[in-house]
Structure formats: C-alpha cells, structure tokens
Amino acid sequence: MSEKEKALNPDPGVCVPWEVKKAEIGEFPGNEAITKKEWEKLDDFAYNFIWFWAQR
Amino acid sequence: MNEKEMLYQKRLERYMTAMDCGKPDMVPVAFGVGEWITKYTGTTLQEIYYDLDKSNNVVSEMLPGLDFDIFKGGPALWWPPMFDAMGSKLYKFPGMGVDENSTFQFNEQEYMKADDYDEFIASPTEWLVNHYLPNISTELENPGSYRSTVALIKGAAAFAMQGGIMAAAWGKWTMENGIVGQGTGFTKAPFDTLGDALRGMKGVLLDLRRRPEKVLAACDAITPHNVNCGLAGAGADTRFPCFVPLHRGAYPFLNPKQWDTFYWPSLKATIEGMWAKGKRMLFYAEGDWTPYLEKIAELPDKSIIFQIDTTDAKKAKKILGGRFCLQGGVPTTLLTYGTPEKVKEHIKRTFDELACDGGFILDTGGVVMGDAKKENAIAMIEAARKYGIY
C-alpha cells in the first residue's frame, strides 16, 4: 500500500481531509484559507455523492 | 413584495406555526405531483423519469391554480441516466429493465457481505468507495480501468447536473406559485441504511441472530454520517425538516425487543444529533408504528414531525400530539379507490379528530401510487381549504 493509499477513516462530510492534502503539498506560499475552503467544498460534494448510493 | 411573495410568506408562516405545534390561520396542506400525472399528460413513465425537462414542465403546468401550502415535489424520485452511467444494479427503471409505464423496482441484494462488517465499521466512507460502489455498479467492476474512470466522471457530473436543474425548477415553482418546499436534506435510520442497500432484508435479519454485535457496531458507525447527511452540510438551512423515509422500523418487520435493541437507539441518536444542530426530522413513518409511539414520545419536543401512514391516528394524537407536529391523515388508497365525495368526507373527519388544536399538516399518509386519480388529489386540496379554517 502506497503512502497515498493509507486508510484515512475520514469524518462525516469528508473524503480526503485538508490536513492530509496540506501535508503532501508541503510549503504553502499563498493564502491557505482560500484553498482549504474550496477543497473542503468539493470534498463535501464527493462525500454526498458517495453516500447517496448507500442511502437508497 | 409581489402577490406571489406575499402568498409564500403566508404559507411559510402557516407551515412554521404547525411544525412548532401551534395553530395557524388554517391547516397547512402538503401536496406532491406523483406518477399518476402521466395518465393525464400523454407521457410515459420512462419519459417522466429520464427527461428532467419534460418532468419539470409537467409539474409547472399542473401547479398554477392549486391552493396548497407545502410542495413535496414531482413524479420522478430518481434520475435514471445517473444510474445508467454507473451501471447501477440498485434499480430497474421504466423502459430500462421494466416496461416503459411500470414504476421502478428496487433490486435488493447483499451488496455488503457478512465478512465486510469489520472493514465497513472501521472506515465507512472508504469501504463504500473501495467495495460498495464496485459491487453495485457494473461499470466500476474493474476500478482504475478506462470504463470505471469514465463512469465515475459521468456519475458525479450527473449528480451535479441534476442538482442544478432541480434547484432551478424549485426556484421557478416557488416564485411563480408562492409555494413552500417541504424540506431540505435526506437521511435514514442507521438500521435502514444497513438493511436496505448494504445487507438487504434477508441479510440483516440473519445478522440479528448470527452477529448481533456487528449490527449494533455498524449502526453506531453509520449514525454520525446519517446526522451529517440529514443536515445537508455545515451551515445549511435548519428552518425546514429533513426527509427521512423509515422502512424496517414499521411493525411487524422487527419484534418489539429487536426494535428496542437494534432499530431505535441509533435512530434516536440520529434525531438527537440533528436536533442539537437545530434540524428537525420529517419522521416519515411508512406503515404501522403504533406499538412504538410511547418510545417515540421520549424524543425532545418538536424534534420530529410524525407522519401518520397506517399508524393508529387517534393514538398518535393522544401520545404525541401537542409535543410533536403530526402530518398525514389521508390514506393513499383513498386517492386510488375513493371518489371526490369520499375524500372530502374523510378530510372533514380527519380535521375533527386530528387538527382541532393545531400542530397538524394535512398530507397523504405515504407515497401516492401511480393509479391514484387526479380528481381525488384535487378534491383533497379543495376540501382542506373548505374545512381547514381555524
């Protein structure tokens, strides 16, 4: 299993936590809050898409 | 504020007052355009399900002139093209698996095996992605393949497209007709999440005997996710209830001891988790829930709207009334087999029994079937306005 495939056990509303992504990016020269906010919005969309199939 | 905006405000206040167990100016009326509409529009069910524009146009043509408060939505519960893109095994849809004028069928199987419990409980979202989606989708059978990747792109795109199209349609219906949408958010009882699409009825009932501790652990693992699904995202609307169709909790799927042990604790935790964030649940109690009314009464005041389907309405009123808004009162069979006169008589009686001191929303008990008669649906609305003034 590669580093990226390690189990994340994400919280509700999350697929890939921002903290995991941030650690992979390393140095962050810009405004982290802007990037984090949009990452989490799309992550939440993906979460809802995944759970949609289980909530039938 | 124009005429439709004023109408919307009036209906919104009526809905909010009833949800808080108060007595508005008149009994709020909920109404949906069901599959029955196809008989009157010359369309097939396949067209209604597959073509969102056609389906939404049918609704747009139906709504003007109807005087009701709370809109429950149009005739298509699902958008099959999204399921087709994924090669979903979950349903057979009109024209794709069943006749173009047959309603959809759920294809229940053990998509989650008994051996999967531990991995699912350890990380539910990851298990769904890694195992469940490939299990339910023919296009995802070979994860990482060309077909699989394309199917995921198409499926997610369809999810977003449908959301955008339906949001625009609901905006139009609200603006043009002054009606209030029933709710926001969708979730389920954790036991139903497990027993409907994951383990299936047979699987979950066997599990109650063979691996009860796994069932309880799975329900506990699902609960925070179902709270999240019900809230429809952080900071989302909390004025309107979250729709929660309840399945295996209806009597007598489970015996009372099983219900107490396996069904109720995680559903109660889901309701309380949502209510702690200010979100109320439309407790869509399909079937008969009479034996469980005393337990349901343990919930925080006003945290649910209790839907009366075949539950004993008088008992529901006695046990839950005043602390929880009640919704329903019209048997779905009455709209199929009754006449406008019988519908009107029934509604007058229902108001006398259930609505007298407020905290009541008139609605059909469950999902109205495709063989319901339009004249009965219209009679329901007309009678509600005639007899529903406080």
Side-chain angles (χ1 to χ4, degrees):
Chain A
M1 187 183 281
S2 74
E3 191 65 24
K4 274 197 173 180
E5 288 169 345
K6 271 188 183 170
L8 298 170
N9 191 12
D11 289 336
V14 177
C15 295
V16 179
W18 168 249
E19 292 69 30
V20 171
K21 185 65 183 171
K22 186 183 167 189
E24 290 168 4
I25 294 169
E27 192 182 345
F28 208 98
N31 183 333
E32 183 190 334
I34 294 171
T35 311
K36 177 176 186 281
K37 184 178 153 203
E38 300 306 318
W39 174 273
E40 290 181 341
K41 271 201 281 191
L42 273 176
D43 206 59
D44 185 58
F45 174 86
Y47 173 88
N48 282 307
F49 178 67
I50 293 160
W51 277 85
F52 167 86
W53 298 97
Q55 301 288 28
R56 300 302 91 219
Chain B
M1 202 182 285
N2 66 32
E3 184 197 344
K4 297 299 178 193
E5 287 167 339
M6 284 194 287
L7 199 54
Y8 177 87
Q9 288 302 328
K10 201 156 91 176
R11 288 167 168 167
L12 178 65
E13 190 181 337
R14 205 170 279 153
Y15 188 19
M16 295 293 154
T17 302
M19 277 197 285
D20 282 335
C21 301
K23 191 191 273 190
D25 60 333
M26 61 176 77
V27 178
V29 183
F31 182 77
V33 179
E35 290 180 354
W36 48 266
I37 194 70
T38 55
K39 292 192 305 236
Y40 304 92
T41 53
T43 48
T44 65
L45 266 183
Q46 182 178 9
E47 288 175 297
I48 290 294
Y49 269 84
Y50 271 81
D51 187 338
L52 280 180
D53 290 336
K54 185 165 273 189
S55 175
N56 290 339
N57 285 340
V58 163
V59 173
S60 297
E61 286 168 15
M62 174 86 195
L63 292 179
L66 296 181
D67 183 14
F68 65 94
D69 303 292
I70 303 154
F71 186 48
K72 303 195 297 177
L77 280 180
W78 319 111
W79 190 39
M82 181 173 72
F83 292 76
D84 294 345
M86 298 278 279
S88 174
K89 303 172 190 171
L90 292 180
Y91 292 101
K92 292 179 178 177
F93 288 110
M96 182 83 171
V98 291
D99 181 81
E100 65 179 355
N101 278 312
S102 294
T103 192
F104 67 88
Q105 294 289 317
F106 181 50
N107 180 24
E108 186 171 297
Q109 292 183 32
E110 289 187 24
Y111 296 112
M112 171 179 159
K113 303 297 180 197
D115 290 344
D116 291 329
Y117 265 106
D118 289 342
E119 199 176 337
F120 172 75
I121 291 162
S123 185
T125 304
E126 285 177 289
W127 185 86
L128 291 175
V129 171
N130 293 332
H131 302 288
Y132 177 70
L133 290 183
N135 287 350
I136 63 164
S137 316
T138 58
E139 294 287 337
L140 304 188
E141 278 171 356
N142 297 306
S145 66
Y146 173 79
R147 289 285 292 261
S148 172
T149 304
V150 169
L152 272 175
I153 292 167
K154 287 164 69 178
F159 191 62
M161 282 168 62
Q162 183 194 16
I165 292 168
M166 292 315 296
W170 278 88
K172 174 182 155 72
W173 296 330
T174 302
M175 294 291 285
E176 292 181 356
N177 301 284
I179 48 176
V180 182
Q182 178 173 253
T184 54
F186 178 95
T187 195
K188 291 174 82 169
F191 187 91
D192 285 336
T193 303
L194 182 67
D196 286 352
L198 301 182
R199 293 289 290 135
M201 182 73 169
K202 183 182 166 192
V204 83
L205 290 183
L206 286 171
D207 294 342
L208 296 185
R209 303 258 176 207
R210 294 177 180 172
R211 48 193 74 81
E213 73 290 350
K214 302 286 186 195
V215 174
L216 289 174
C219 288
D220 285 347
I222 292 168
T223 297
H225 292 280
N226 282 13
V227 171
N228 185 278
C229 290
L231 291 170
D237 163 83
T238 55
R239 288 180 305 166
F240 299 105
C242 160
F243 181 69
V244 185
L246 297 163
H247 298 156
R248 316 297 194 201
Y251 183 80
F253 275 120
L254 304 175
N255 68 43
K257 191 181 171 197
Q258 288 170 328
W259 193 90
D260 281 351
T261 306
F262 296 102
Y263 196 86
W264 181 235
S266 52
L267 172 57
K268 187 166 184 258
T270 302
I271 294 166
E272 290 173 343
M274 284 170 47
W275 189 237
K277 304 268 188 185
K279 186 74 172 178
R280 192 178 343 231
M281 176 185 285
L282 174 50
F283 192 105
Y284 206 74
E286 294 178 287
D288 182 7
W289 291 66
T290 310
Y292 310 124
L293 290 171
E294 298 283 357
K295 281 281 183 187
I296 293 165
E298 293 173 1
L299 291 167
D301 286 5
K302 302 175 186 176
S303 58
I304 61 164
I305 299 168
F306 184 84
Q307 183 84 20
I308 301 169
D309 184 10
T310 58
T311 298
D312 184 319
K314 284 183 185 170
K315 282 189 183 167
K317 171 75 177 168
K318 187 178 172 193
I319 296 169
L320 302 177
R323 292 183 50 228
F324 304 95
C325 177
L326 303 176
Q327 181 164 323
V330 183
T332 53
T333 47
L334 187 60
L335 298 191
T336 296
Y337 301 112
T339 61
E341 291 68 34
K342 284 187 177 165
V343 170
K344 287 175 184 175
E345 284 166 23
H346 179 86
I347 284 169
K348 188 171 185 305
R349 213 165 42 243
T350 297
F351 283 172
D352 290 342
E353 290 171 358
L354 299 177
C356 49
D357 49 0
F360 180 72
I361 296 166
L362 185 81
D363 187 14
T364 51
V367 175
V368 178
M369 296 292 105
D371 54 3
K373 294 179 188 133
K374 183 180 177 184
E375 61 266 30
N376 289 342
I378 303 294
M380 177 182 130
I381 298 172
E382 289 174 353
R385 287 308 194 223
K386 184 175 178 186
Y387 301 120
I389 298 167
Y390 283 114

